């Protein structure tokens, strides 16, 4: 059965992005290997995510057009959704790690949610779905 496994995320620098996702969001570095010529195959993901599918392929921008799109892959809309089973725990941990939230947490019919930005300005939802 097909499933979505990776989402490519444009980055300026592999090591900078790896450091941010592992230190700020607690992601794990799943894979980091050279891909000639001069590229790397770099995958990060939250703990236990890849068993369910869904990691980030960090893609270093190679052209001027790609560099212009870093941080704007969804044109200012929320681009990625990070689901949690404990919003308060992860929200507090992310704030302590220096993650920048754009709003206070809010309660919606679908769950508790707040928007944050990654190191390049892409917008994410941290969300604990309503059971």
């Amino acid at each position: 059965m097909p499933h979505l496994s990776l989402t490519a995320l444009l980055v300026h620098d592999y090591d900078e992005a790896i450091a941010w996702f592992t230190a700020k969001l607690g992601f794990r570095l799943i894979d980091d290997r050279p891909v000639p010529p001069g590229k790397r195959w770099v995958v990060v993901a939250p703990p236990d995510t890849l068993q369910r599918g869904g990691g980030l392929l960090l893609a270093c921008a190679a052209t001027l057009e790609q560099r212009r799109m870093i941080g704007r892959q969804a044109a200012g809309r929320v681009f990625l959704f990070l689901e949690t089973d404990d919003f308060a725990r992860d929200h507090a941990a992310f704030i302590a790690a220096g993650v920048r939230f754009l709003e206070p947490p809010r309660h919606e019919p679908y769950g508790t949610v707040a928007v944050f930005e990654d190191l390049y300005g892409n917008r994410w939802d941290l969300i604990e779905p309503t059971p």
Side-chain angles (χ1 to χ4, degrees), residues 12-129:
H12 285 294
D13 177 82
Y14 293 114
D15 295 321
E16 168 187 66
I18 291 168
W20 194 88
F21 282 102
T22 58
K24 304 286 185 183
L25 299 186
F27 283 24
R28 291 189 180 151
L29 178 61
I30 305 300
D31 202 349
D32 185 358
R33 65 181 108 163
V35 180
K39 293 183 180 182
R40 288 160 57 185
W41 180 264
V42 178
V43 177
V44 295
D48 301 325
T49 294
L50 286 181
Q51 288 84 351
R52 296 187 313 262
L56 292 177
L57 175 67
L58 303 180
C60 200
T63 68
L64 179 59
E65 182 180 4
Q66 289 173 3
R67 287 191 292 279
R68 286 182 182 150
M69 297 310 297
I70 294 172
R72 300 172 7 106
Q73 285 183 235
R77 292 186 58 108
V78 170
F79 176 48
L80 298 161
F81 298 80
L82 187 59
E83 188 174 307
T84 178
D85 63 352
D86 188 334
F87 181 92
R89 174 199 65 212
D90 292 334
H91 184 257
F94 290 177
I95 287 173
V99 173
R100 181 172 171 254
F101 280 83
L102 303 179
E103 63 182 19
R106 64 185 196 280
H107 301 285
E108 300 290 349
Y110 53 85
T112 303
V113 64
V115 177
F116 69 91
E117 287 183 333
D118 66 22
L119 74 163
Y120 299 117
N122 292 299
R123 292 179 176 202
W124 294 60
D125 269 358
L126 175 64
I127 182 168
E128 181 180 353

